[in-house]
Amino acid sequence: MDINQQLGQRIRQLRDARKLSLEALAERCGVSRSNISLIERGQSSPTATVLDKLSVGLGVSLASLFEVPAEAPSPLADRKSVV
């Protein structure tokens, strides 16, 4: 899973935890519903400005958008070191 997919899953988890629809989050943060949907599906790489708006709309810190649950594997876990 790449960083865009992980970020999208995290945003979706936070939105679901707050029981917000895509439309409600879009209204709260000023990011279009379609853009949020693309981000949540890992099909769009959000800019820092969009991430800041989403964090405000979700009521969380920007850094918390990048938190990975303990049970989730790191995206680097599958890579083998080259010696």
Side-chain angles (χ1 to χ4, degrees):
M1 181 179 316
D2 73 12
I3 187 68
N4 289 328
Q5 291 171 324
Q6 286 184 336
L7 187 56
Q9 280 185 350
R10 178 69 176 149
I11 292 168
R12 175 71 188 261
Q13 289 169 349
L14 291 167
R15 183 173 64 80
D16 286 347
R18 285 152 182 76
K19 298 182 180 2
L20 292 171
S21 66
L22 282 170
E23 187 66 36
L25 179 56
E27 288 177 17
R28 289 176 78 162
C29 66
V31 175
S32 74
R33 184 180 54 82
S34 60
N35 194 14
I36 296 170
S37 178
L38 287 170
I39 292 167
E40 287 186 351
R41 289 182 281 144
Q43 296 178 343
S44 177
S45 182
T47 65
T49 300
V50 169
L51 289 175
D52 184 56
K53 289 179 178 184
L54 289 171
S55 69
V56 169
L58 292 166
V60 299
S61 69
L62 183 59
S64 71
L65 295 181
F66 296 93
E67 291 177 1
V68 178
E71 66 275 1
S74 164
L76 301 177
D78 292 339
R79 299 179 190 227
K80 299 182 192 253
S81 58
V82 178
V83 181

